[in-house]
Amino acid sequence: ILYRHSIGIQNRFWLSPPTLNVLYDCFELYSGSVYLLILLSALSLLAVVNSGGAGVSRHFGGFFKPPDRSAGEGGASYASSVFLLVLWLCVPVAVPFLISLVSTPIFFYRYTIAGSLAFYVLASFGAAGTGGKRFILLVTGLVLIFSSINIFGYYERVDKPAWRAGINYIESNAGAGDVIVLYPWYETEAAG
């Protein structure tokens, strides 16, 4: 489907070619803030490191011990689960990004939202991989605090244009023969 859409829009599309900064912005939007991005990225990296085995944990002085989970009946090992999560995270983000670099730009953060779930689960694997209940409670508390700050900030400001007030102003002040110019063009429908 992605290939078919990218071929179908070989002419100019409304998105500009992505940069590496767009990837950062995408993950910051997944997280909700820079602080949560740092926390979730560190925990995700910890899950990847823990999936490497006990040899990696020896470098860290045994503080981070990979979970002792081997494949059970019909289950996947910890390393296989982390690998699947990394694929789930990277494919919905990397494929549109790479297509946008070599073909028509199609990368937009909303189109990659499926990868955000893997990012959250990977971070939870990293927190659970430490085995420390205090650490898990600390991470949970930090996520709740940072998320609460974001939620309060989200509901305190208005991010949408105030069309209702603008149209009321125009209707009460516009005279016969006045011309209304809308910019950008896609706002025409909202003003109608």
Side-chain angles (χ1 to χ4, degrees), residues 9 11-16 104-105 107-108 110-111 185-186:
I9 55 171
N11 297 332
R12 195 71 187 128
F13 197 48
W14 64 276
L15 294 169
S16 58
T104 304
F107 185 87
F108 191 54
R110 263 189 252 157
Y111 306 155
W185 61 269
Y186 54 81

Side-chain angles (χ1 to χ4, degrees), residues 8 18 27 45-46 66 71 73 78 81 97 136 139 157 160-162 177 188:
F27 280 93
L45 183 62
L46 182 60
E73 267 185 51
Y78 181 80
S81 299
F97 184 80
I136 293 171
V139 167
R157 66 182 181 274
K160 305 288 183 204
T188 305

Side-chain angles (χ1 to χ4, degrees), residues 57-139:
S57 70
R58 269 187 254 130
H59 283 335
F60 294 103
F63 179 71
F64 297 116
K65 297 179 181 119
D68 187 22
R69 296 185 198 138
S70 54
E73 267 185 51
S77 68
Y78 181 80
S80 298
S81 299
V82 169
F83 178 72
L84 179 63
L85 286 170
V86 169
L87 279 179
W88 181 12
L89 173 62
C90 291
V91 169
V93 175
V95 170
F97 184 80
L98 293 174
I99 289 173
S100 296
L101 292 179
V102 298
S103 182
T104 304
I106 61 169
F107 185 87
F108 191 54
Y109 73 92
R110 263 189 252 157
Y111 306 155
T112 65
I113 200 88
S116 66
L117 297 173
F119 187 49
Y120 308 141
V121 174
L122 196 59
S124 68
F125 267 45
T130 63
K133 290 185 180 186
R134 287 185 180 174
F135 184 75
I136 293 171
L137 287 173
L138 174 69
V139 167

